[in-house]
Amino acid sequence: MADPHQLFDDTSSAQNRGYGAQRAPGSLGYPAASTLPQAAFLADPMSNMAMAYGSSLAAQGKELVDKNIDRFIPVTKLKYYFAVDTLYVGKKLGLLFFPYLHQDWEVQYQQDTPVAPRFDVNAPDLYIPAMAFITYVLVAGLALGTQDRFSPDLLGLQASSALAWLTLEVLAILLSLYLVTVNTDLTTIDLVAFLGYKYVGMIGGILMGLLFGKIGYYVVLGWCCVSIFVFMIRTLRLKILAEAAAEGVPVRGARNQLRMYLTMAVAATQPLLMYWLTFHLVR
Amino acid sequence: MMQSQQPYTGQIFQPTQAYTPVTSQPLYGNSFEDEPPLLEELGINFDHIWQKTLTVLHPLKVADGSIMNETDLAGPMVFCLAFGATLLLAGKIQFGYVYGISAIGCLGMFCLLNLMSMTGVSFGCVASVLGYCLLPMILLSSFAVIFSLQGMIGIILTAGIIGWCSFSASKIFISALAMEGQQLLVAYPCALLYGVFALISVF
């Protein structure tokens, strides 16, 4: 019986024994040299194997990414924040610029889960902050370009500095929420969404600054700063403060006061950051 | 161990007839006629390419959702190269920027569309649609060869072409992914992407 672990054919009992040039059936022999020159390249078993290996490697890689992507980026949770439509975006942008007439800021719930942003204008979404961030980077590039200070790596610099400030803000607010021991349902992604809304005002300010100079910039930025302040206070009040206080009845108590100060602090940092990230772009 | 060896039936030092001899047949013999046509093998279907080009060029024509079923990257490659070539004619050697921006833009659109739509979308489909809708941008950059685009007319023309490109791209995406009420939302990031291309053409 042939030894199953043999690496080669045992031909010691073969009739026409030769030494050396034993032709292995097919695979690693010398087929390339002896077949037709115009026989398809892919008939060469060596490259056949290479292609099969390569494509299986690619398929495996894709499977690996698909299985593990959920561990790093919560895709299904993110999908909720992108379930928006044009009407919602329009209304939300209107709210961001003019939040004074809106009465009901409560997010509607449907059996314990918040309703998708499509159906409720109060729900946070990530489409507007993401688009606003990218637009801010491009508009900053445009502003620098009109002042002849543009170079492509400056775009990267603007983008990363804005991203760094956003991360810092999120971490600072999460830390203070932890220290104040607030039980909220404010998730990190919600917080990123709320903090991303200020980029809309920043874009407005820069564009006005480009069109009408410093006066236009200050007017529009001032307006947007006040609107964002009011917007943040009214939105975060419902999330951070206790139920009773959220209905408008001022509840005395050290805990609630602390929470009120926290909300005011968060809302106050928004205009500051809006000014800090844009003033160097408008001359 | 050695009893059931098969006797060696090959022929050492004698060439075996592993192929039909070259001299007895014309050089491009049967194997050439048996192969499928080259274009079919490469997957380039001119009729589909023409259909998709027409869909892009008529912004008001309703798009058919099924045309994006096969991802075809040959057309977009040609359009990208044509765009780079027209930029070259205007004296701007910026192929690197074109490729870099298209790669980042396609990646961004891919992530966004996957998050926004009910069904997912493959990267090849996104790249294919964005590449096809680059066609009007080629018109813009060929204008830039002759006239400078930095006046008022240039700005209006640029804005019009960006609008045309993003409108067609969003129309195809909406029909292929069955997203209702989101056309403007898809058109905006496309407009940002094509705006960057227009920046390259203009400045």
Side-chain angles (χ1 to χ4, degrees):
Chain A
M1 269 312 177
D3 181 355
H5 298 298
Q6 251 183 345
L7 294 174
F8 45 84
D9 290 335
D10 187 349
T11 53
S12 48
S13 67
Q15 284 192 357
N16 299 341
R17 245 177 276 164
Y19 46 88
Q22 175 66 259
R23 263 187 86 194
S27 59
L28 296 173
Y30 317 101
S34 59
T35 48
L36 260 180
Q38 62 264 32
F41 171 67
L42 295 179
D44 177 8
M46 194 53 179
S47 55
N48 237 347
M49 267 193 340
M51 241 192 53
Y53 182 65
S55 59
S56 85
L57 200 61
Q60 271 179 14
K62 191 171 183 312
E63 252 183 60
L64 199 69
V65 168
D66 280 338
K67 264 194 295 188
N68 289 332
I69 192 88
D70 238 16
R71 281 201 281 164
F72 300 112
I73 310 175
V75 178
T76 26
K77 273 197 268 178
L78 277 182
K79 274 204 169 192
Y80 161 79
Y81 290 97
F82 280 94
V84 293
D85 64 351
T86 321
L87 211 57
Y88 166 85
V89 170
K91 283 197 253 179
K92 194 77 176 193
L93 287 176
L95 257 189
L96 283 172
F97 283 115
F98 200 78
Y100 310 107
L101 296 180
H102 190 73
Q103 301 297 340
D104 177 25
W105 293 80
E106 186 75 48
V107 178
Q108 293 162 20
Y109 277 78
Q110 187 197 32
Q111 296 155 359
D112 250 9
T113 55
V115 155
R118 249 178 204 243
F119 305 114
D120 177 21
V121 79
N122 293 320
D125 74 309
L126 275 180
Y127 175 85
I128 295 181
M131 289 297 119
F133 183 78
I134 300 179
T135 315
Y136 161 72
V137 173
L138 291 178
V139 168
L142 189 68
L144 289 174
T146 54
Q147 298 162 24
D148 285 331
R149 285 190 293 157
F150 180 73
S151 81
D153 34 312
L154 270 186
L155 267 186
L157 197 65
Q158 283 288 331
S160 39
S161 87
L163 206 59
W165 278 110
L166 187 68
T167 317
L168 210 63
E169 259 194 287
V170 171
L171 289 177
I173 296 180
L174 282 177
L175 182 67
S176 30
L177 282 177
Y178 172 74
L179 288 177
V180 174
T181 59
V182 167
N183 289 333
T184 75
D185 53 353
L186 192 71
T187 62
T188 314
I189 308 186
D190 272 347
L191 201 56
V192 172
F194 288 134
L195 296 175
Y197 284 136
K198 64 173 172 297
Y199 288 107
V200 182
M202 284 157 70
I203 296 167
I206 302 179
L207 284 176
M208 283 302 131
L210 283 177
L211 289 174
F212 299 119
K214 278 226 145 183
I215 304 288
Y217 167 67
Y218 280 126
V219 165
V220 176
L221 196 71
W223 175 269
C224 293
C225 283
V226 177
S227 324
I228 266 281
F229 185 72
V230 173
F231 178 86
M232 290 297 282
I233 295 246
R234 288 199 180 166
T235 316
L236 288 181
R237 199 172 55 161
L238 292 170
K239 297 264 180 184
I240 300 184
L241 294 183
E243 289 295 329
E247 284 162 22
V249 178
V251 174
R252 292 274 162 242
R255 260 174 78 219
N256 267 339
Q257 259 195 339
L258 199 53
R259 292 184 190 192
M260 194 64 197
Y261 286 150
L262 180 64
T263 319
M264 305 275 294
V266 171
T269 48
Q270 305 302 305
L272 286 177
L273 276 174
M274 282 170 75
Y275 180 69
W276 180 259
L277 287 173
T278 51
F279 77 97
H280 59 275
L281 294 172
V282 180
R283 288 288 158 84
Chain B
M1 189 171 69
M2 295 191 191
Q3 290 93 337
S4 58
Q5 287 298 311
Q6 290 172 2
Y8 178 61
T9 51
Q11 296 161 312
I12 293 291
F13 300 133
Q14 288 173 27
T16 47
Q17 300 284 44
Y19 57 94
T20 52
V22 178
T23 50
S24 68
Q25 281 187 6
L27 194 57
Y28 295 97
N30 289 337
S31 56
F32 184 69
E33 281 163 14
D34 288 341
E35 285 172 11
L38 181 63
L39 285 184
E40 201 179 294
E41 230 179 273
L42 287 177
I44 301 177
N45 183 339
F46 273 131
D47 188 47
H48 275 182
I49 294 182
W50 186 237
Q51 284 285 336
K52 292 183 198 173
T53 313
L54 279 184
T55 312
V56 169
L57 287 178
H58 292 178
L60 300 176
K61 177 171 139 179
V62 174
D64 180 17
S66 62
I67 57 176
M68 280 302 145
N69 276 342
E70 340 92 16
T71 66
D72 151 41
L73 287 177
M77 273 289 129
V78 166
F79 290 156
C80 265
L81 285 173
F83 184 61
T86 47
L87 284 181
L88 194 64
L89 280 179
K92 303 169 189 153
I93 310 178
Q94 280 162 348
F95 285 95
Y97 278 134
V98 170
Y99 286 138
I101 292 172
S102 23
I104 297 181
C106 284
L107 197 61
M109 275 312 283
F110 169 69
C111 295
L112 186 71
L113 284 176
N114 264 329
L115 287 171
M116 273 178 76
S117 67
M118 291 295 130
T119 64
V121 63
S122 70
F123 185 76
C125 177
V126 173
S128 169
V129 174
L130 289 177
Y132 271 107
C133 298
L134 195 60
L135 186 57
M137 198 56 66
I138 300 180
L139 278 175
L140 182 72
S141 58
S142 34
F143 267 134
V145 175
I146 315 174
F147 319 102
S148 160
L149 287 176
Q150 297 196 16
M152 184 48 76
I153 299 187
I155 294 183
I156 298 180
L157 188 67
T158 311
I161 296 236
I162 294 178
W164 182 5
C165 288
S166 27
F167 189 69
S168 318
S170 59
K171 179 184 63 165
I172 300 181
F173 277 133
I174 298 281
S175 59
L177 299 175
M179 300 157 63
E180 343 85 33
Q182 291 177 325
Q183 178 155 11
L184 274 183
L185 300 186
V186 175
Y188 182 69
C190 294
L192 286 181
L193 178 64
Y194 291 123
V196 178
F197 279 124
L199 268 180
I200 304 181
S201 318
V202 172
F203 292 112

